[in-house]
Amino acid sequence: MVERKLLVLFGSQTGTAQDTAERIGREAKRRHFQCRVEALDSYDVANLINELLVVFVCATTGQGDPPDNMKMFWRFLFRKNLPPGSLCQLDYVVLGLGDSSYPKFNFVAKKLHKRVLQLGGNPLLPVALGDDQHDLGPDAVVDPWLLALWDKILTLYPLGPGLEIISPDVRLPPKYTLHYLAEDSPHPDGGLLQPTSPRAVPSELHPFAARVVSNRRVTAESHFQDVRLIEFDVMGSGITFSAGDVVMIQPQNCPEDVQQFCQLLRLDPDRRFVLKPTEPGTSLPALLPQPCTIRHLVTHYLDISCVPRRSFFELLSYFSTNELEREKLQEFSSAQGQEELYSYCNRPRRTTLEALWDFPHTTCAIPPEYLLDLIPHIRPRAFSIASSVLAHPDRIQILMAVVRYKTRLSKPRRGLCSSWLASLNPEQGDVRVPLWVKKGGMKFPADPDTPVIMIGPGTGVAPFRAAIQERVAQGRRGNCLFFGCRQKSKDFYCQVEWEELVAKGFLTLFTAFSRDQEEKVYVQHRIKENRRLVWELLSSGSAHVYLAGPAGVSEALQSVLQLEGGLSPSEAEEHLAALERSQRFQSETWS
Protein backbone atom coordinates (compact mmCIF):
# COMPACT_ATOMS: atom_id res chain seq x y z
CA MET A 1 0.00 0.00 0.00
CA VAL A 2 1.50 3.33 -1.07
CA GLU A 3 2.03 5.84 1.72
CA ARG A 4 -0.70 8.52 1.65
CA LYS A 5 1.37 11.61 2.34
CA LEU A 6 0.62 15.08 1.03
CA LEU A 7 2.72 18.21 1.36
CA VAL A 8 1.13 21.64 0.86
CA LEU A 9 3.69 24.43 0.39
CA PHE A 10 2.64 28.09 0.22
CA GLY A 11 4.15 31.45 -0.62
CA SER A 12 1.92 34.15 0.83
CA GLN A 13 2.22 37.91 1.22
CA THR A 14 -1.18 39.04 2.55
CA GLY A 15 -2.37 35.71 3.96
CA THR A 16 -4.73 34.58 1.18
CA ALA A 17 -2.38 31.87 -0.11
CA GLN A 18 -1.75 30.64 3.44
CA ASP A 19 -5.49 30.55 4.13
CA THR A 20 -6.07 28.53 0.93
CA ALA A 21 -3.17 26.17 1.74
CA GLU A 22 -4.66 25.51 5.17
CA ARG A 23 -8.04 24.82 3.59
CA ILE A 24 -6.39 22.20 1.32
CA GLY A 25 -4.72 20.74 4.44
CA ARG A 26 -8.10 20.38 6.19
CA GLU A 27 -9.64 18.74 3.10
CA ALA A 28 -6.65 16.34 2.95
CA LYS A 29 -7.22 15.33 6.61
CA ARG A 30 -10.86 14.56 5.81
CA ARG A 31 -9.51 12.18 3.15
CA HIS A 32 -7.15 10.53 5.68
CA PHE A 33 -3.90 11.88 4.21
CA GLN A 34 -0.93 12.54 6.43
CA CYS A 35 -0.66 16.21 5.51
CA ARG A 36 1.82 18.98 6.32
CA VAL A 37 1.19 22.62 5.43
CA GLU A 38 4.30 24.81 5.42
CA ALA A 39 5.58 28.14 4.15
CA LEU A 40 8.03 27.52 1.29
CA ASP A 41 10.96 29.12 3.10
CA SER A 42 10.48 27.14 6.30
CA TYR A 43 10.57 23.86 4.34
CA ASP A 44 13.97 22.26 3.67
CA VAL A 45 13.93 22.40 -0.11
CA ALA A 46 16.64 19.73 -0.42
CA ASN A 47 13.95 17.20 0.65
CA LEU A 48 11.83 17.96 -2.40
CA ILE A 49 13.51 15.11 -4.32
CA ASN A 50 12.00 12.63 -1.82
CA GLU A 51 8.41 13.96 -1.99
CA LEU A 52 5.77 12.08 -3.95
CA LEU A 53 2.80 14.47 -3.83
CA VAL A 54 2.99 18.26 -3.43
CA VAL A 55 0.47 21.08 -3.82
CA PHE A 56 2.07 24.51 -4.32
CA VAL A 57 -0.08 27.54 -3.51
CA CYS A 58 1.63 30.80 -4.36
CA ALA A 59 0.78 34.44 -4.71
CA THR A 60 2.44 36.94 -7.04
CA THR A 61 3.35 40.31 -5.53
CA GLY A 62 4.26 43.73 -6.90
CA GLN A 63 5.79 43.59 -10.36
CA GLY A 64 5.71 39.79 -10.72
CA ASP A 65 7.80 38.95 -7.64
CA PRO A 66 7.56 35.96 -5.31
CA PRO A 67 6.26 36.66 -1.76
CA ASP A 68 8.81 37.22 1.02
CA ASN A 69 8.31 33.75 2.51
CA MET A 70 9.30 31.94 -0.71
CA LYS A 71 12.32 33.99 -1.86
CA MET A 72 14.98 31.49 -0.68
CA PHE A 73 13.05 28.59 -2.21
CA TRP A 74 12.75 30.55 -5.48
CA ARG A 75 16.50 31.18 -5.67
CA PHE A 76 17.24 27.50 -4.98
CA LEU A 77 14.75 26.20 -7.55
CA PHE A 78 16.23 28.31 -10.35
CA ARG A 79 19.81 27.25 -9.75
CA LYS A 80 21.42 26.29 -13.06
CA ASN A 81 23.07 23.17 -11.63
CA LEU A 82 19.88 21.28 -10.68
CA PRO A 83 19.80 18.05 -12.75
CA PRO A 84 16.89 17.94 -15.28
CA GLY A 85 15.27 14.76 -13.91
CA SER A 86 15.71 15.47 -10.21
CA LEU A 87 11.96 15.68 -9.49
CA CYS A 88 10.85 12.80 -11.73
CA GLN A 89 9.06 10.96 -8.89
CA LEU A 90 7.01 14.04 -7.94
CA ASP A 91 3.30 14.41 -8.66
CA TYR A 92 2.45 18.06 -8.24
CA VAL A 93 -0.06 20.85 -8.87
CA VAL A 94 0.33 24.62 -8.75
CA LEU A 95 -2.41 26.99 -7.64
CA GLY A 96 -1.66 30.65 -8.29
CA LEU A 97 -3.30 33.65 -6.60
CA GLY A 98 -2.99 36.97 -8.38
CA ASP A 99 -4.72 40.06 -9.63
CA SER A 100 -5.43 40.48 -13.35
CA SER A 101 -5.24 44.29 -13.11
CA TYR A 102 -1.44 43.88 -12.80
CA PRO A 103 0.62 43.30 -15.96
CA LYS A 104 2.40 40.20 -14.58
CA PHE A 105 -0.75 38.30 -13.58
CA ASN A 106 0.11 35.12 -11.64
CA PHE A 107 3.64 35.27 -13.03
CA VAL A 108 5.13 33.31 -10.09
CA ALA A 109 2.68 30.39 -10.39
CA LYS A 110 3.18 30.08 -14.15
CA LYS A 111 6.97 30.17 -13.81
CA LEU A 112 6.99 27.70 -10.89
CA HIS A 113 4.78 25.25 -12.85
CA LYS A 114 7.15 25.43 -15.83
CA ARG A 115 10.27 25.00 -13.70
CA VAL A 116 9.01 21.93 -11.78
CA LEU A 117 7.99 20.42 -15.13
CA GLN A 118 11.53 21.11 -16.46
CA LEU A 119 12.97 19.28 -13.45
CA GLY A 120 10.91 16.18 -14.29
CA GLY A 121 7.82 16.72 -12.14
CA ASN A 122 4.50 15.25 -13.27
CA PRO A 123 1.64 17.81 -13.18
CA LEU A 124 -1.71 16.29 -12.14
CA LEU A 125 -3.64 19.31 -13.48
CA PRO A 126 -2.84 22.46 -15.49
CA VAL A 127 -1.75 25.45 -13.38
CA ALA A 128 -4.78 27.17 -11.79
CA LEU A 129 -4.90 30.98 -11.82
CA GLY A 130 -7.04 32.57 -9.10
CA ASP A 131 -7.97 36.20 -9.73
CA ASP A 132 -8.71 38.84 -7.12
CA GLN A 133 -10.58 40.86 -9.73
CA HIS A 134 -13.28 38.21 -10.20
CA ASP A 135 -16.63 39.03 -8.55
CA LEU A 136 -16.21 36.00 -6.29
CA GLY A 137 -12.48 36.51 -5.82
CA PRO A 138 -9.98 33.65 -6.28
CA ASP A 139 -12.56 31.11 -5.01
CA ALA A 140 -14.26 31.25 -8.44
CA VAL A 141 -11.22 29.28 -9.70
CA VAL A 142 -10.24 27.51 -6.46
CA ASP A 143 -13.59 25.77 -5.74
CA PRO A 144 -13.95 23.83 -9.04
CA TRP A 145 -10.19 23.23 -9.20
CA LEU A 146 -10.20 21.55 -5.78
CA LEU A 147 -13.04 19.21 -6.80
CA ALA A 148 -10.99 18.15 -9.85
CA LEU A 149 -7.84 17.83 -7.72
CA TRP A 150 -9.37 15.47 -5.14
CA ASP A 151 -10.86 13.31 -7.93
CA LYS A 152 -7.42 13.00 -9.46
CA ILE A 153 -5.58 12.40 -6.17
CA LEU A 154 -8.06 9.79 -4.91
CA THR A 155 -7.67 7.72 -8.10
CA LEU A 156 -3.88 7.68 -7.53
CA TYR A 157 -4.08 7.29 -3.74
CA PRO A 158 -7.40 5.56 -2.96
CA LEU A 159 -8.77 5.47 0.60
CA GLY A 160 -7.71 2.43 2.60
CA PRO A 161 -10.17 -0.46 3.19
CA GLY A 162 -13.05 0.54 5.47
CA LEU A 163 -12.17 4.26 5.35
CA GLU A 164 -14.57 6.96 4.24
CA ILE A 165 -14.13 10.68 3.68
CA ILE A 166 -14.84 12.43 7.00
CA SER A 167 -18.13 14.27 6.53
CA PRO A 168 -18.07 18.11 6.39
CA ASP A 169 -20.48 17.99 9.37
CA VAL A 170 -17.69 16.69 11.60
CA ARG A 171 -15.44 19.27 13.24
CA LEU A 172 -11.70 18.59 12.86
CA PRO A 173 -9.48 18.82 15.96
CA PRO A 174 -7.69 22.16 16.60
CA LYS A 175 -4.05 22.68 15.63
CA TYR A 176 -3.06 23.23 19.28
CA THR A 177 -4.46 22.35 22.67
CA LEU A 178 -4.48 25.09 25.25
CA HIS A 179 -3.64 24.28 28.86
CA TYR A 180 -4.49 26.89 31.47
CA LEU A 181 -1.99 27.22 34.30
CA ALA A 182 -3.03 27.36 37.93
CA GLU A 183 -3.53 30.95 39.18
CA ASP A 184 -0.67 30.59 41.66
CA SER A 185 1.97 29.15 39.30
CA PRO A 186 5.17 31.25 39.20
CA HIS A 187 5.24 34.14 36.68
CA PRO A 188 8.30 34.35 34.44
CA ASP A 189 9.03 37.93 33.35
CA GLY A 190 8.51 37.60 29.62
CA GLY A 191 7.28 40.29 27.28
CA LEU A 192 7.12 40.25 23.51
CA LEU A 193 10.05 42.60 23.14
CA GLN A 194 13.04 40.76 24.47
CA PRO A 195 16.14 42.86 23.73
CA THR A 196 17.76 41.09 20.79
CA SER A 197 21.15 39.53 21.37
CA PRO A 198 23.88 41.74 19.94
CA ARG A 199 24.76 39.14 17.27
CA ALA A 200 21.33 38.72 15.75
CA VAL A 201 20.37 41.13 12.99
CA PRO A 202 16.74 42.04 13.74
CA SER A 203 14.21 39.99 11.75
CA GLU A 204 10.56 38.98 11.87
CA LEU A 205 11.34 36.37 14.52
CA HIS A 206 13.65 38.72 16.43
CA PRO A 207 12.40 42.29 15.95
CA PHE A 208 14.26 45.20 17.51
CA ALA A 209 12.36 47.23 20.12
CA ALA A 210 13.00 50.70 18.71
CA ARG A 211 12.24 53.77 20.79
CA VAL A 212 9.88 56.32 19.20
CA VAL A 213 11.80 59.62 19.16
CA SER A 214 9.16 61.85 17.58
CA ASN A 215 5.69 61.55 16.06
CA ARG A 216 4.80 64.73 14.18
CA ARG A 217 1.79 65.56 12.03
CA VAL A 218 2.99 67.06 8.72
CA THR A 219 -0.39 67.99 7.21
CA ALA A 220 -2.34 71.10 8.25
CA GLU A 221 -4.87 70.48 11.04
CA SER A 222 -7.63 71.50 8.60
CA HIS A 223 -6.53 68.89 6.03
CA PHE A 224 -8.75 65.80 5.73
CA GLN A 225 -5.78 63.43 6.03
CA ASP A 226 -3.49 63.00 9.02
CA VAL A 227 0.04 62.23 7.76
CA ARG A 228 2.87 61.64 10.24
CA LEU A 229 6.64 61.83 10.09
CA ILE A 230 7.70 59.31 12.74
CA GLU A 231 11.29 58.83 13.88
CA PHE A 232 12.67 55.70 15.57
CA ASP A 233 15.96 55.25 17.41
CA VAL A 234 17.74 52.11 16.17
CA MET A 235 21.05 52.70 17.94
CA GLY A 236 22.77 49.43 18.89
CA SER A 237 20.38 47.33 16.78
CA GLY A 238 22.90 46.36 14.10
CA ILE A 239 20.38 47.50 11.49
CA THR A 240 21.89 48.80 8.24
CA PHE A 241 19.97 50.09 5.24
CA SER A 242 20.22 52.24 2.16
CA ALA A 243 17.80 54.38 0.15
CA GLY A 244 14.94 52.29 -1.26
CA ASP A 245 14.84 49.88 1.69
CA VAL A 246 11.77 49.13 3.73
CA VAL A 247 11.12 48.99 7.47
CA MET A 248 8.77 46.26 8.69
CA ILE A 249 6.69 47.11 11.75
CA GLN A 250 4.77 44.59 13.87
CA PRO A 251 1.58 46.33 15.03
CA GLN A 252 -0.75 45.47 17.90
CA ASN A 253 -4.44 45.73 18.71
CA CYS A 254 -5.72 48.63 20.78
CA PRO A 255 -6.66 47.95 24.43
CA GLU A 256 -10.39 48.73 23.86
CA ASP A 257 -10.64 46.08 21.12
CA VAL A 258 -8.75 43.54 23.26
CA GLN A 259 -11.10 44.17 26.18
CA GLN A 260 -14.21 43.86 23.97
CA PHE A 261 -12.95 40.62 22.45
CA CYS A 262 -12.29 39.08 25.86
CA GLN A 263 -15.73 40.15 27.11
CA LEU A 264 -17.49 38.71 24.04
CA LEU A 265 -15.72 35.38 24.36
CA ARG A 266 -15.91 35.42 28.19
CA LEU A 267 -12.13 35.13 28.51
CA ASP A 268 -10.11 36.29 31.50
CA PRO A 269 -7.31 38.44 29.96
CA ASP A 270 -4.94 37.61 32.83
CA ARG A 271 -5.27 33.82 32.58
CA ARG A 272 -2.00 32.13 31.61
CA PHE A 273 -1.69 29.09 29.38
CA VAL A 274 0.75 26.93 27.44
CA LEU A 275 0.11 25.59 23.94
CA LYS A 276 0.80 22.02 22.86
CA PRO A 277 0.57 20.85 19.22
CA THR A 278 -2.26 18.36 18.62
CA GLU A 279 -0.16 16.39 16.13
CA PRO A 280 3.55 15.61 16.50
CA GLY A 281 5.67 17.60 14.07
CA THR A 282 3.52 20.76 14.18
CA SER A 283 5.69 23.65 15.31
CA LEU A 284 4.41 26.19 17.84
CA PRO A 285 3.68 29.77 16.73
CA ALA A 286 7.09 31.43 16.64
CA LEU A 287 6.17 34.81 18.13
CA LEU A 288 4.20 33.63 21.15
CA PRO A 289 6.01 33.32 24.46
CA GLN A 290 5.36 30.15 26.48
CA PRO A 291 3.60 30.45 28.91
CA CYS A 292 1.46 33.31 27.61
CA THR A 293 -1.50 35.36 28.88
CA ILE A 294 -4.79 35.66 26.99
CA ARG A 295 -4.23 39.44 26.90
CA HIS A 296 -0.84 38.99 25.23
CA LEU A 297 -2.30 36.53 22.69
CA VAL A 298 -5.11 38.92 21.73
CA THR A 299 -2.99 42.10 21.79
CA HIS A 300 0.06 40.92 19.87
CA TYR A 301 -1.01 37.86 17.90
CA LEU A 302 -4.67 37.53 16.84
CA ASP A 303 -5.67 39.83 13.98
CA ILE A 304 -9.12 40.74 15.31
CA SER A 305 -9.33 43.85 13.12
CA CYS A 306 -8.79 42.10 9.75
CA VAL A 307 -11.71 41.43 7.40
CA PRO A 308 -12.56 37.77 8.09
CA ARG A 309 -12.23 35.19 5.31
CA ARG A 310 -14.62 32.45 4.27
CA SER A 311 -12.70 29.87 6.36
CA PHE A 312 -13.48 31.90 9.52
CA PHE A 313 -17.24 31.49 9.01
CA GLU A 314 -16.84 27.82 8.12
CA LEU A 315 -15.06 27.00 11.39
CA LEU A 316 -17.35 29.31 13.38
CA SER A 317 -20.42 27.39 12.13
CA TYR A 318 -19.24 24.27 14.03
CA PHE A 319 -19.49 26.03 17.40
CA SER A 320 -22.95 27.47 16.82
CA THR A 321 -25.68 26.42 19.23
CA ASN A 322 -28.18 28.80 17.61
CA GLU A 323 -29.95 27.52 14.49
CA LEU A 324 -30.39 30.90 12.77
CA GLU A 325 -26.77 31.86 13.33
CA ARG A 326 -25.55 28.47 12.18
CA GLU A 327 -27.56 28.65 8.94
CA LYS A 328 -26.14 32.10 8.15
CA LEU A 329 -22.57 30.95 8.91
CA GLN A 330 -23.01 27.89 6.68
CA GLU A 331 -24.35 30.09 3.87
CA PHE A 332 -21.30 32.38 4.18
CA SER A 333 -18.94 29.41 3.94
CA SER A 334 -20.67 27.77 0.95
CA ALA A 335 -19.68 28.35 -2.68
CA GLN A 336 -23.18 29.71 -3.40
CA GLY A 337 -23.02 32.22 -0.53
CA GLN A 338 -19.87 34.05 -1.68
CA GLU A 339 -21.65 37.07 -3.13
CA GLU A 340 -23.62 37.46 0.08
CA LEU A 341 -20.40 37.14 2.12
CA TYR A 342 -18.68 39.76 -0.05
CA SER A 343 -21.52 42.23 0.62
CA TYR A 344 -21.43 41.49 4.35
CA CYS A 345 -17.64 41.50 4.82
CA ASN A 346 -15.46 42.87 2.05
CA ARG A 347 -17.54 45.72 0.70
CA PRO A 348 -18.02 47.49 4.08
CA ARG A 349 -14.61 46.20 5.38
CA ARG A 350 -16.23 44.61 8.43
CA THR A 351 -13.68 43.44 11.01
CA THR A 352 -13.44 40.03 12.66
CA LEU A 353 -14.38 41.62 16.00
CA GLU A 354 -17.52 43.18 14.46
CA ALA A 355 -18.48 39.86 12.84
CA LEU A 356 -18.20 38.17 16.24
CA TRP A 357 -20.62 40.78 17.67
CA ASP A 358 -23.13 39.79 14.99
CA PHE A 359 -23.11 36.12 16.07
CA PRO A 360 -23.28 36.45 19.87
CA HIS A 361 -24.64 32.95 20.65
CA THR A 362 -21.89 31.35 18.59
CA THR A 363 -19.12 33.64 19.80
CA CYS A 364 -19.53 32.86 23.48
CA ALA A 365 -19.32 29.13 22.62
CA ILE A 366 -15.91 29.28 20.86
CA PRO A 367 -13.48 26.92 22.64
CA PRO A 368 -10.29 28.92 23.36
CA GLU A 369 -8.00 26.28 21.76
CA TYR A 370 -9.62 27.00 18.38
CA LEU A 371 -8.70 30.71 18.48
CA LEU A 372 -5.45 30.13 16.58
CA ASP A 373 -7.27 28.17 13.84
CA LEU A 374 -10.05 30.75 13.64
CA ILE A 375 -8.14 34.04 13.53
CA PRO A 376 -4.91 34.65 11.57
CA HIS A 377 -1.92 36.25 13.23
CA ILE A 378 -1.23 39.97 12.82
CA ARG A 379 0.98 40.53 9.79
CA PRO A 380 3.81 43.05 9.85
CA ARG A 381 3.34 46.22 7.76
CA ALA A 382 5.93 47.60 5.35
CA PHE A 383 6.87 51.29 5.13
CA SER A 384 9.39 52.89 2.78
CA ILE A 385 12.22 54.37 4.83
CA ALA A 386 12.07 58.15 4.38
CA SER A 387 15.52 59.07 5.73
CA SER A 388 19.19 58.30 5.09
CA VAL A 389 21.71 56.98 7.60
CA LEU A 390 24.14 59.59 6.28
CA ALA A 391 21.79 62.43 7.26
CA HIS A 392 20.31 60.81 10.40
CA PRO A 393 22.68 58.20 11.88
CA ASP A 394 21.02 55.55 14.14
CA ARG A 395 17.57 56.76 13.11
CA ILE A 396 14.80 55.54 10.81
CA GLN A 397 12.04 57.90 9.69
CA ILE A 398 8.79 57.00 7.94
CA LEU A 399 6.13 59.14 6.27
CA MET A 400 2.78 57.53 7.09
CA ALA A 401 -0.81 58.40 6.21
CA VAL A 402 -3.20 57.41 9.00
CA VAL A 403 -5.74 55.13 7.33
CA ARG A 404 -9.30 56.16 8.16
CA TYR A 405 -12.32 56.07 5.86
CA LYS A 406 -16.09 55.68 5.89
CA THR A 407 -18.12 52.72 4.64
CA ARG A 408 -21.81 52.05 5.17
CA LEU A 409 -20.96 50.86 8.69
CA SER A 410 -21.50 53.60 11.26
CA LYS A 411 -18.01 53.39 12.74
CA PRO A 412 -15.18 54.72 10.52
CA ARG A 413 -12.72 52.07 9.33
CA ARG A 414 -9.22 52.47 10.76
CA GLY A 415 -5.92 50.97 9.65
CA LEU A 416 -4.58 48.77 12.45
CA CYS A 417 -0.92 49.74 12.15
CA SER A 418 -1.28 53.42 11.24
CA SER A 419 -3.84 54.07 14.02
CA TRP A 420 -1.62 52.34 16.57
CA LEU A 421 1.51 54.23 15.49
CA ALA A 422 -0.36 57.56 15.41
CA SER A 423 -1.50 56.97 19.01
CA LEU A 424 2.06 56.60 20.35
CA ASN A 425 3.28 59.67 22.21
CA PRO A 426 7.02 59.66 23.00
CA GLU A 427 6.46 62.53 25.44
CA GLN A 428 4.63 60.10 27.73
CA GLY A 429 7.69 58.00 28.47
CA ASP A 430 9.60 55.22 26.76
CA VAL A 431 7.47 54.05 23.81
CA ARG A 432 8.80 51.05 21.82
CA VAL A 433 7.91 49.55 18.45
CA PRO A 434 9.06 46.11 17.18
CA LEU A 435 10.72 46.53 13.79
CA TRP A 436 13.32 45.21 11.34
CA VAL A 437 14.51 46.22 7.89
CA LYS A 438 14.41 44.43 4.55
CA LYS A 439 15.74 45.25 1.09
CA GLY A 440 13.33 47.31 -0.94
CA GLY A 441 12.48 47.03 -4.62
CA MET A 442 14.24 50.27 -5.59
CA LYS A 443 18.00 50.41 -6.16
CA PHE A 444 19.64 53.80 -6.65
CA PRO A 445 22.70 54.12 -8.92
CA ALA A 446 26.14 53.59 -7.41
CA ASP A 447 27.84 56.01 -9.82
CA PRO A 448 27.72 59.52 -8.29
CA ASP A 449 27.42 61.25 -11.66
CA THR A 450 24.22 59.45 -12.68
CA PRO A 451 21.29 61.89 -12.74
CA VAL A 452 18.02 60.63 -11.23
CA ILE A 453 14.43 61.62 -12.01
CA MET A 454 12.11 60.78 -9.10
CA ILE A 455 8.33 60.93 -9.38
CA GLY A 456 6.58 60.63 -6.04
CA PRO A 457 3.13 62.08 -5.41
CA GLY A 458 1.85 62.08 -1.80
CA THR A 459 3.53 59.69 0.63
CA GLY A 460 5.05 57.99 -2.46
CA VAL A 461 7.83 60.57 -2.02
CA ALA A 462 9.16 58.73 1.09
CA PRO A 463 11.88 56.58 -0.59
CA PHE A 464 12.98 59.62 -2.62
CA ARG A 465 13.51 61.68 0.50
CA ALA A 466 15.91 58.93 1.65
CA ALA A 467 17.64 58.89 -1.75
CA ILE A 468 17.96 62.69 -1.93
CA GLN A 469 19.38 62.89 1.62
CA GLU A 470 21.86 60.13 0.77
CA ARG A 471 22.92 61.66 -2.56
CA VAL A 472 23.23 65.20 -1.12
CA ALA A 473 25.40 63.87 1.74
CA GLN A 474 27.69 62.43 -0.96
CA GLY A 475 27.72 65.76 -2.82
CA ARG A 476 25.66 64.57 -5.84
CA ARG A 477 23.75 67.25 -7.71
CA GLY A 478 21.74 65.60 -10.50
CA ASN A 479 18.56 65.18 -8.45
CA CYS A 480 15.23 65.92 -10.12
CA LEU A 481 11.97 65.48 -8.18
CA PHE A 482 8.37 65.66 -9.37
CA PHE A 483 6.11 65.94 -6.31
CA GLY A 484 2.34 66.20 -6.27
CA CYS A 485 -0.25 66.75 -3.55
CA ARG A 486 -3.61 68.48 -3.11
CA GLN A 487 -2.74 71.91 -1.71
CA LYS A 488 0.53 73.74 -1.18
CA SER A 489 -0.64 75.03 2.21
CA LYS A 490 -1.91 71.69 3.53
CA ASP A 491 0.01 68.61 2.39
CA PHE A 492 3.29 69.75 0.84
CA TYR A 493 5.47 67.34 2.83
CA CYS A 494 9.05 68.40 3.61
CA GLN A 495 8.53 71.76 1.86
CA VAL A 496 11.24 73.61 3.82
CA GLU A 497 13.75 70.80 3.28
CA TRP A 498 13.14 70.68 -0.51
CA GLU A 499 13.31 74.46 -0.91
CA GLU A 500 16.63 74.68 0.94
CA LEU A 501 18.11 72.02 -1.38
CA VAL A 502 16.81 73.90 -4.44
CA ALA A 503 18.46 77.09 -3.14
CA LYS A 504 21.78 75.24 -2.66
CA GLY A 505 21.62 73.78 -6.19
CA PHE A 506 21.23 70.14 -5.09
CA LEU A 507 17.66 69.65 -6.34
CA THR A 508 15.48 70.51 -9.32
CA LEU A 509 11.88 70.46 -8.06
CA PHE A 510 8.60 70.38 -9.99
CA THR A 511 5.39 70.54 -7.96
CA ALA A 512 1.76 69.86 -8.86
CA PHE A 513 -0.90 71.03 -6.39
CA SER A 514 -4.04 69.44 -7.81
CA ARG A 515 -6.66 71.52 -5.92
CA ASP A 516 -5.01 74.94 -5.83
CA GLN A 517 -6.66 76.07 -9.07
CA GLU A 518 -9.84 75.46 -11.06
CA GLU A 519 -8.54 72.65 -13.26
CA LYS A 520 -6.73 69.76 -11.54
CA VAL A 521 -3.00 69.52 -12.14
CA TYR A 522 -1.12 66.28 -11.46
CA VAL A 523 2.52 65.19 -11.71
CA GLN A 524 1.82 63.69 -15.15
CA HIS A 525 0.98 67.24 -16.40
CA ARG A 526 4.29 68.56 -15.03
CA ILE A 527 6.19 65.73 -16.72
CA LYS A 528 4.63 66.62 -20.08
CA GLU A 529 5.31 70.36 -19.55
CA ASN A 530 8.98 69.61 -18.83
CA ARG A 531 9.29 66.94 -21.49
CA ARG A 532 12.36 68.54 -23.11
CA LEU A 533 14.36 68.23 -19.85
CA VAL A 534 13.09 64.67 -19.19
CA TRP A 535 13.96 63.63 -22.75
CA GLU A 536 17.44 65.20 -22.55
CA LEU A 537 18.19 63.33 -19.30
CA LEU A 538 16.88 60.05 -20.72
CA SER A 539 18.45 60.28 -24.17
CA SER A 540 21.87 61.27 -22.83
CA GLY A 541 21.92 57.58 -21.98
CA SER A 542 22.50 57.67 -18.27
CA ALA A 543 19.56 59.07 -16.24
CA HIS A 544 17.59 56.67 -14.04
CA VAL A 545 13.84 57.18 -13.54
CA TYR A 546 11.99 56.16 -10.34
CA LEU A 547 8.25 56.19 -9.91
CA ALA A 548 6.20 55.58 -6.76
CA GLY A 549 2.64 56.45 -7.59
CA PRO A 550 -0.40 55.81 -9.79
CA ALA A 551 0.00 53.76 -12.96
CA GLY A 552 -1.04 56.73 -15.17
CA VAL A 553 2.39 58.32 -14.74
CA SER A 554 4.05 55.69 -16.96
CA GLU A 555 1.82 56.88 -19.79
CA ALA A 556 3.12 60.44 -19.32
CA LEU A 557 6.67 59.12 -19.75
CA GLN A 558 5.64 57.28 -22.91
CA SER A 559 4.18 60.48 -24.34
CA VAL A 560 7.51 62.29 -23.64
CA LEU A 561 9.28 59.59 -25.69
CA GLN A 562 6.78 60.09 -28.51
CA LEU A 563 6.67 63.90 -28.54
CA GLU A 564 10.36 64.63 -27.93
CA GLY A 565 11.98 61.44 -29.21
CA GLY A 566 9.72 60.99 -32.21
CA LEU A 567 8.98 57.37 -31.30
CA SER A 568 5.75 55.60 -32.30
CA PRO A 569 3.43 54.47 -29.44
CA SER A 570 4.71 50.87 -29.68
CA GLU A 571 8.36 52.01 -29.86
CA ALA A 572 7.83 54.24 -26.81
CA GLU A 573 6.37 51.31 -24.88
CA GLU A 574 9.26 49.06 -25.89
CA HIS A 575 11.80 51.77 -25.01
CA LEU A 576 10.33 52.08 -21.50
CA ALA A 577 10.34 48.27 -21.16
CA ALA A 578 14.03 48.22 -22.18
CA LEU A 579 14.81 50.90 -19.55
CA GLU A 580 13.00 48.71 -17.02
CA ARG A 581 15.01 45.62 -17.99
CA SER A 582 18.27 47.53 -17.57
CA GLN A 583 17.01 48.84 -14.18
CA ARG A 584 17.10 52.43 -15.45
CA PHE A 585 13.34 52.67 -14.94
CA GLN A 586 12.04 51.34 -11.62
CA SER A 587 8.47 51.71 -10.48
CA GLU A 588 6.15 50.82 -7.66
CA THR A 589 2.73 51.61 -9.06
CA TRP A 590 -0.85 51.04 -8.05
CA SER A 591 -4.01 51.47 -10.07
Side-chain angles (χ1 to χ4, degrees), residues 432-454:
R432 303 260 167 179
V433 167
L435 55 76
W436 63 99
V437 163
K438 63 171 209 185
K439 279 272 152 257
M442 289 193 175
K443 306 273 179 291
F444 291 90
D447 177 2
D449 299 324
T450 307
V452 290
I453 301 170
M454 293 164 275

Side-chain angles (χ1 to χ4, degrees), residues 504-561:
K504 290 177 181 164
F506 279 107
L507 181 65
T508 307
L509 177 67
F510 299 102
T511 51
F513 306 112
S514 62
R515 310 297 159 93
D516 275 351
Q517 59 284 307
E518 276 292 292
E519 70 298 338
K520 293 188 178 138
V521 176
Y522 297 112
V523 285
Q524 30 286 48
H525 297 119
R526 295 289 183 242
I527 290 168
K528 287 179 185 169
E529 283 166 21
N530 296 281
R531 57 182 188 259
R532 165 95 10 111
L533 170 72
V534 174
W535 170 250
E536 275 170 12
L537 287 169
L538 281 177
S539 59
S540 67
S542 66
H544 286 225
V545 183
Y546 298 86
L547 161 62
V553 181
S554 297
E555 286 146 32
L557 289 169
Q558 284 184 32
S559 77
V560 170
L561 296 172

